[in-house]
Amino acid sequence: GAVVSQHPSWVICKSGTSVKIECRSLDFQATTMFWYRQFPKQSLMLMATSNEGSKATYEQGVEKDKFLINHASLTLSTLTVTSAHPEDSSFYICSATNLKINYGYTFGSGTRLTVV
Amino acid sequence: SQQGEEDPQALSIQEGENATMNCSYKTSINNLQWYRQNSGRGLVHLILIRSNEREKHSGRLRVTLDTSKKSSSLLITASRAADTASYFCATDELYSGGGADGLTFGKGTHLIIQP
């Protein structure tokens, strides 16, 4: 079945630094990738949708300059949290799909970001 | 994206009992999915039910969908301690633009199975 690899699984960074999270589709080409954020004991909230080769579409209230998304190839999307602050500490999960071959949504295993 | 509601928010039952979780949503959908999430971990896809289906089974799982009421239920029969987790419903909204719109997740039910 479709597999999505997300890396790193956890990261601790200092306030003010930037962190990059990678999301790779291993055995299929992902025309669309999604980034979600989950705060402790809460549900997943969609942050942005990215289609390969085009700019990401951000959900209302998500700062595009803070959460930089790049989807340069059909198998890789990256989320960069810039100038991270403690309130950015969260669980970030990506998912990928290929509408052309009707793949469902395959999720990565998530990244636990802690900003100290 | 709007979130659906799930109830109960938390459920604690004895091992062997059945657990029922409900989910309501707000828009027209292509399908509805249920996921499990163990504490601090990624999502495990459990089952998908399409908008033209009313009931689906997979092992100890039974899902129903009522599109007229915009609601779904997940039944786990003969629960086990390993079923302890958070359960989320997620809807794939009907989107006429031909693109993918992401999933809208419910708030989740935290299920505790007591041995």
Side-chain angles (χ1 to χ4, degrees):
Chain A
V3 177
V4 171
S5 172
Q6 189 172 338
H7 179 81
S9 55
W10 60 271
V11 58
I12 301 173
C13 72
K14 291 185 177 180
S15 235
T17 62
S18 295
V19 173
K20 181 184 283 188
I21 302 170
E22 290 188 350
C23 180
R24 293 181 185 271
S25 56
L26 296 185
D27 51 1
F28 70 102
Q29 293 183 328
T31 54
T32 308
M33 287 188 171
F34 307 90
W35 289 94
Y36 296 83
R37 179 169 59 186
Q38 184 182 32
F39 291 111
K41 297 187 179 180
Q42 294 189 27
S43 188
L44 283 76
M45 293 293 291
L46 180 65
M47 297 174 67
T49 302
S50 75
N51 293 296
E52 185 263 339
S54 58
K55 290 183 179 180
T57 303
Y58 290 81
E59 294 298 302
Q60 193 172 9
V62 178
E63 300 174 59
K64 62 181 181 180
D65 294 331
K66 181 165 188 62
F67 298 100
L68 300 179
I69 291 171
N70 184 283
H71 190 169
S73 78
L74 282 170
T75 59
L76 174 64
S77 176
T78 60
L79 168 67
T80 302
V81 183
T82 63
S83 187
H85 289 106
E87 56 265 32
D88 299 325
S89 298
S90 187
F91 193 58
Y92 293 87
I93 308 177
C94 70
S95 77
T97 189
N98 187 323
L99 293 181
K100 294 178 183 177
I101 47 180
N102 201 28
Y103 269 124
Y105 296 95
T106 304
F107 283 82
S109 55
T111 298
R112 172 77 56 196
L113 170 63
T114 302
V115 184
V116 297
Chain B
S1 54
Q2 295 176 320
Q3 279 193 318
E5 297 286 331
E6 276 157 297
D7 72 272
Q9 290 188 358
L11 178 63
S12 179
I13 61 174
Q14 294 293 125
E15 195 167 22
E17 293 180 340
N18 296 341
T20 300
M21 290 159 272
N22 301 297
C23 164
S24 62
Y25 56 92
K26 298 178 182 178
T27 64
S28 297
I29 62 172
N30 287 315
N31 60 62
L32 184 145
Q33 304 176 51
W34 284 89
Y35 289 87
R36 183 182 73 210
Q37 185 181 38
N38 290 85
S39 180
R41 309 288 287 273
L43 297 175
V44 175
H45 183 261
L46 296 177
I47 196 165
L48 179 151
I49 185 165
R50 300 190 188 283
S51 60
N52 61 353
E53 298 175 312
R54 291 296 166 259
E55 187 172 312
K56 205 161 183 180
H57 298 254
S58 176
R60 294 184 295 115
L61 306 180
R62 173 178 169 257
V63 168
T64 63
L65 178 65
D66 186 334
T67 53
S68 66
K69 295 181 180 178
K70 290 187 167 58
S71 67
S72 174
S73 69
L74 171 66
L75 168 67
I76 302 174
T77 61
S79 63
R80 305 167 182 169
D83 294 330
T84 293
S86 291
Y87 291 82
F88 296 93
C89 69
T91 53
D92 186 0
E93 295 177 10
L94 195 61
Y95 182 66
S96 60
D101 214 21
L103 295 176
T104 302
F105 283 82
K107 294 181 179 178
T109 294
H110 184 50
L111 176 65
I112 297 173
I113 308 299
Q114 298 180 17

